[in-house]
């Protein structure tokens, strides 16, 4: 079974703090994604990566950055957390687009609260 | 860019009844995905529909795809309480070919 793990289930930070969210997948997937999920807005893509050291902006990249130094690990960084970044953050991974099975597999999520 | 609309967004059903969730998408998508999310939990993949006319079934859930109508449906047969969850559809069509999700349908099955 594909396993996607995230470093924390719940996180509370203060405004202005630097926040690291880490995601690890064990299926040798090329693609990795970070989403945030908010009530009434659904899932919105923040950043994604198709390969090591490669990153692409999604729909809402402002205030975030990412790092992918190893294939299995994709980190989301909030350089200076703000209250409007309070949300559920979901990481996902998949085979490359167009592969026979490129379903995205999601991690358990990190509920981040910024005070 | 692809837009995905689901309806209804909220659905309250009685156990034993049938119902259908609709997923319309705005431009061509070569495949369509359905996911389930339980409260406080992450998304679980249910179905991947790869071609026009594709139909997949798992238990009381059946998904179908009509690429000409740009419509996918998720049909629930004889609903049970365990099916209460939020269901998302998604298609390929972001600016980089990434998935675009609908806003989800929150299903509540009552005894």
């Amino acid at each position: 079974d594909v396993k996607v793990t995230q470093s924390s289930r719940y996180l509370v930070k203060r405004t202005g703090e630097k926040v690291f969210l880490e995601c690890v997948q064990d299926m040798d997937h090329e693609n990795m994604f970070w989403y945030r999920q908010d009530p009434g807005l659904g899932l919105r893509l923040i950043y994604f990566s198709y390969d090591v050291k490669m990153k692409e902006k999604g729909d809402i990249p402002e205030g975030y950055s990412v790092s992918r130094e190893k294939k299995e690990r994709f980190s989301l960084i909030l350089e200076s957390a703000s209250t409007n970044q309070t949300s559920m953050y979901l990481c996902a991974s998949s085979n490359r687009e167009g592969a026979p099975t490129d379903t995205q597999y999601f991690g358990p999520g990190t509920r981040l609260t910024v005070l | 860019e692809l837009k995905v609309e689901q309806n209804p967004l909220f659905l309250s059903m009685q156990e034993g009844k049938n119902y259908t969730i609709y997923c319309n998408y705005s431009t061509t998508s070569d495949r369509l995905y359905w996911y389930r999310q339980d409260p406080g939990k992450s998304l679980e993949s249910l179905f991947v529909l790869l071609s026009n006319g594709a139909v997949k079934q798992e238990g009381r859930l059946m998904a179908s795809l009509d690429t000409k109508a740009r419509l996918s449906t998720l049909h629930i047969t004889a609903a049970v309480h365990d099916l209460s969850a939020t269901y998302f559809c998604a298609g390929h069509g972001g600016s980089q070919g990434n998935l675009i999700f609908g806003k989800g349908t929150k299903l509540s099955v009552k005894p």
Side-chain angles (χ1 to χ4, degrees):
Chain A
D1 275 354
V2 175
K3 195 163 183 185
V4 181
T5 57
Q6 294 182 229
S7 50
S8 305
R9 291 298 307 275
Y10 301 93
L11 210 51
V12 180
K13 295 291 182 181
R14 297 206 175 273
T15 301
E17 280 193 82
K18 191 169 185 175
V19 182
F20 292 87
L21 303 181
E22 293 212 318
C23 175
V24 178
Q25 51 95 2
D26 68 357
M27 281 301 291
D28 202 34
H29 282 166
E30 286 84 3
N31 302 342
M32 295 189 76
F33 307 83
W34 275 106
Y35 295 89
R36 63 177 283 177
Q37 184 178 23
D38 301 287
L41 297 177
L43 272 78
R44 293 180 292 167
L45 182 65
I46 305 172
Y47 266 98
F48 58 103
S49 170
Y50 285 145
D51 202 350
V52 175
K53 295 192 187 294
M54 181 272 185
K55 59 187 177 186
E56 294 287 344
K57 293 180 180 178
D59 299 316
I60 51 163
E62 296 78 18
Y64 303 95
S65 62
V66 290
S67 172
R68 193 164 180 203
E69 296 296 318
K70 293 185 177 181
K71 190 175 185 180
E72 67 271 18
R73 190 179 297 268
F74 192 35
S75 301
L76 179 69
I77 304 152
L78 287 66
E79 293 289 342
S80 178
S82 63
T83 55
N84 63 12
Q85 292 178 310
T86 292
S87 186
M88 170 72 92
Y89 289 87
L90 293 167
C91 175
S93 73
S94 73
N95 279 318
R96 71 186 187 285
E97 184 192 348
T101 53
D102 63 354
T103 298
Q104 288 187 20
Y105 295 89
F106 284 81
T110 296
R111 187 165 292 282
L112 173 67
T113 302
V114 183
L115 302 176
Chain B
E1 185 171 293
L2 179 71
K3 292 193 189 311
V4 178
E5 286 192 6
Q6 288 181 238
N7 70 84
L9 297 183
F10 299 93
L11 179 55
S12 182
M13 298 175 64
Q14 280 196 310
E15 280 192 329
K17 299 289 188 184
N18 303 333
Y19 209 82
T20 301
I21 298 170
Y22 297 89
C23 176
N24 291 90
Y25 53 98
S26 59
T27 63
T28 301
S29 178
D30 61 350
R31 52 192 68 190
L32 199 293
Y33 303 79
W34 284 96
Y35 287 86
R36 168 184 172 143
Q37 185 179 36
D38 291 300
K41 304 241 175 120
S42 192
L43 277 75
E44 173 192 353
S45 176
L46 291 174
F47 302 109
V48 181
L49 302 167
L50 299 177
S51 60
N52 188 41
V55 176
K56 290 201 173 174
Q57 183 160 7
E58 179 78 30
R60 300 173 189 274
L61 299 177
M62 184 173 73
S64 65
L65 179 62
D66 181 345
T67 57
K68 292 179 182 175
R70 295 180 185 160
L71 171 68
S72 180
T73 60
L74 182 66
H75 187 73
I76 302 148
T77 302
V80 293
H81 179 70
D82 284 353
L83 290 179
S84 297
T86 300
Y87 294 86
F88 292 90
C89 64
H92 273 296
S95 56
Q96 302 280 346
N98 51 286
L99 286 187
I100 303 294
F101 285 82
K103 285 190 164 51
T105 297
K106 186 172 182 179
L107 172 66
S108 176
V109 181
K110 300 182 187 304

